[in-house]
Amino acid sequence: MSYPEYQADLQRIHESEVYGRAVFDTAARLTRHRGRKAKWLALKALEEQTLQRYLDYMAQTGQSVIEPTGWALKGRAEGAALAAMPWRLAMTLVRNATGPFQEKFLRLKEHAKEEERAFFAYVYAHEKALEAFAEKELARDPDSLKAVESLLAG
């Protein structure tokens, strides 16, 4: 695959997963609400699964992995803030945070070669699942983790 933003977009996957794992892990550790803790942990599991798939993809394609600097620290700080703020505000921020990542991941998906399409479709679907979770939480839908759980199971 080759387009001007390819390397930056590919690196953004790594940054996103390291960041998301730190956000959701910290939020889960610091929240006092049992149900919310379980939700944060489900999101963390999705980030960990996606990070592993990214690392596997990079190894399979012989590409160099560059550890993202600062993203875990930023994620821990933002996870602490999410755990402390009202749930609706936290969900609004989670939903809004997916937008910039979706843009990059969609571009990767659209430019993917046939043999790469499934991987990049998964990366994009993972970000859409996070957005869907936050939107369903805002709508008070009890099945808010459906898309997340579907990706974790598949």
Side-chain angles (χ1 to χ4, degrees):
M1 181 177 351
S2 177
Y3 63 93
E5 302 93 346
Y6 172 68
Q7 287 300 327
D9 289 351
L10 193 59
Q11 181 64 21
R12 186 51 57 105
I13 297 171
H14 199 175
E15 294 164 352
S16 169
E17 304 325 302
V18 167
Y19 166 76
R21 180 178 60 188
V23 166
F24 303 138
D25 177 62
T26 303
R29 280 188 296 105
L30 297 178
T31 191
R32 293 176 187 236
H33 189 283
R34 186 188 258 151
R36 292 176 185 169
K37 180 182 195 88
K39 291 173 182 181
W40 289 130
L41 289 173
L43 300 181
K44 176 188 172 192
L46 182 60
E47 296 296 278
E48 289 174 332
Q49 177 177 288
T50 305
L51 176 59
Q52 188 57 57
R53 287 189 180 194
Y54 165 80
L55 294 172
D56 292 347
Y57 170 80
M58 295 299 280
Q60 290 165 1
T61 58
Q63 298 183 68
S64 298
V65 173
I66 301 166
E67 283 300 318
T69 56
W71 284 87
L73 180 60
K74 178 181 177 185
R76 286 191 295 275
E78 292 183 15
L82 287 175
M85 66 181 58
W87 189 246
R88 291 189 62 74
L89 178 57
M91 291 301 99
T92 299
L93 293 174
V94 169
R95 181 194 61 205
N96 294 349
T98 67
F101 293 113
Q102 284 183 45
E103 177 186 332
K104 313 269 187 294
F105 300 165
L106 180 59
R107 189 166 46 221
L108 283 163
K109 178 182 163 190
E110 289 173 342
H111 286 88
K113 296 177 190 169
E114 184 64 38
E115 64 272 13
E116 302 170 320
R117 200 159 289 134
F119 169 69
F120 289 114
Y122 166 83
V123 170
Y124 181 67
H126 131 271
E127 204 64 29
K128 292 299 284 182
L130 295 174
E131 177 186 52
F133 163 76
E135 287 177 346
K136 287 183 175 200
E137 281 293 309
L138 288 167
R140 293 183 169 85
D141 184 334
D143 203 18
S144 61
L145 283 170
K146 184 177 181 180
V148 171
E149 291 168 343
S150 175
L151 288 174
L152 287 170

